[in-house]
Amino acid sequence: MDTRTVAIHIDGVSMVYGGVHRHKALDLVSLDICENEFFTLLGPSGCGKTTLLRLIAGFEQPSAGELRLDGVSLVGKMPFQRPVNTVFQSYALFPHMTVAQNVAFGLEMQRRPASEIRDLVARMLALVRLSELGGRKPAQLSGGQQQRVALARALATHPRVLLLDESLSALDQQLRKEMQVELKRLQRETGITFVFVTHDQEEALTMSDRLAVLNGGQVQQVGTPSELYDHPANRFVASFIGETNFLHARAGANGLDFGAAGGCVEVPEGWQGDVSLSVRPERVRLLRASAASAAPAGVLHLAATVQNLVYMGHDTTYLLDVPGQPGCSARTQNVSGAQQVFAVGDAVLMRIELSALGRLAD
């Protein structure tokens, strides 16, 4: 059980947009976001993640439910009445102002003393590693530098919560990877609760302390990156976060039976009848069918044939035909001497440890 202090409490929140065609963007969403946490809202386009962010920011009001920050209701409060700042996808920097003036803007609106503003601007620019660029205009900066200015401006007033709406999507791949590390560093150093919206699974896994996967306006699962990756709650989470294999089996008195693919392993406690399972490709080891021995306890062997393979340099993915099962794959690292190489048409066995099998909700 998480014993950390809850910063944002979301309880039964729904959001319905009116008009000719009513649309329920959020449907009874409930979750807690903890103090000093990097929390990510992850899901496909239209799942409701940005709507939820806008509700926290105050740009929208919920149709039903409650939102609280530090125990105080946010419902009905305008954005300027909340200790929350937002970094938008477009950064929204003032083009006629210098970098330093952009960072100082929020502090000036709060009528802070000039000396305090100078000190805070200097500290924020140092924090985002732009101390030498305070006199430049936004147009003279790269995309990554502009993003850092937007972050510095949002952090300068030390908000209770910082909201980030797809704020890395405009950057190229290499710069995105660098900024993922920078964002996590900034969150750790400032101690501010970050709520990040993205549809990019890699970003979510890289930066988050915890994340919530949304689909169709509902929360599918909340947990740490490893919890969601290794133990997805349902088929949607399993398929949306990374790649996975889906298997069907029947749990009976004689074990967990996979039908035509062969293989039978002891049934975990509580499993009965038809079950849907998932296993990540990297948790599958391939053995030559002609040389394999009987599977030891706690290990499953499934017959398969190599249909195709994809060489990616650091690893190889084998696409497999498994009798009576959906198409499967196995991923192996290309470490010299550590892995057998298989060719298209080879008969193989998929070696899967029972602990690698995740049961999906019906």
Side-chain angles (χ1 to χ4, degrees), residues 285-293 340-343 346-350:
R285 182 183 170 194
L286 295 184
L287 306 173
R288 293 196 181 280
S290 59
S293 57
Q340 291 176 298
V341 177
F342 301 93
D346 282 355
V348 297
L349 289 179
M350 298 169 62

Side-chain angles (χ1 to χ4, degrees), residues 203-244:
E203 278 186 356
L205 295 176
T206 298
M207 297 188 293
S208 309
D209 295 317
R210 289 191 306 139
L211 59 152
V213 178
L214 282 78
N215 187 43
Q218 296 181 326
V219 174
Q220 303 296 309
Q221 189 174 357
V222 179
T224 65
S226 61
E227 286 171 347
L228 269 64
Y229 186 83
D230 293 331
H231 305 288
N234 55 42
R235 191 180 185 92
F236 176 81
V237 176
S239 60
F240 191 77
I241 298 181
E243 298 176 26
T244 197

Side-chain angles (χ1 to χ4, degrees), residues 5 29 31 46 65 79 97 99 116 118 136 147 178 194 197-198 203 226 244 248 287 325 332:
T5 302
V29 169
L31 57 88
M97 293 183 180
V99 166
E116 182 182 345
R118 283 195 301 271
R136 292 191 184 181
Q147 203 250 13
E178 294 174 6
F194 278 28
V197 162
T198 185
E203 278 186 356
S226 61
T244 197
H248 306 303
L287 306 173
Q325 299 288 342
T332 62

Side-chain angles (χ1 to χ4, degrees), residues 29-66:
V29 169
S30 296
L31 57 88
D32 288 333
I33 299 172
C34 295
E35 189 175 66
N36 191 20
E37 180 173 45
F38 199 120
F39 192 93
T40 296
L41 302 174
L42 173 68
S45 297
C47 72
K49 57 187 185 295
T50 296
T51 298
L52 185 54
L53 197 80
R54 290 177 62 82
L55 291 176
I56 298 171
F59 302 135
E60 306 274 3
Q61 294 294 330
S63 303
E66 180 65 274

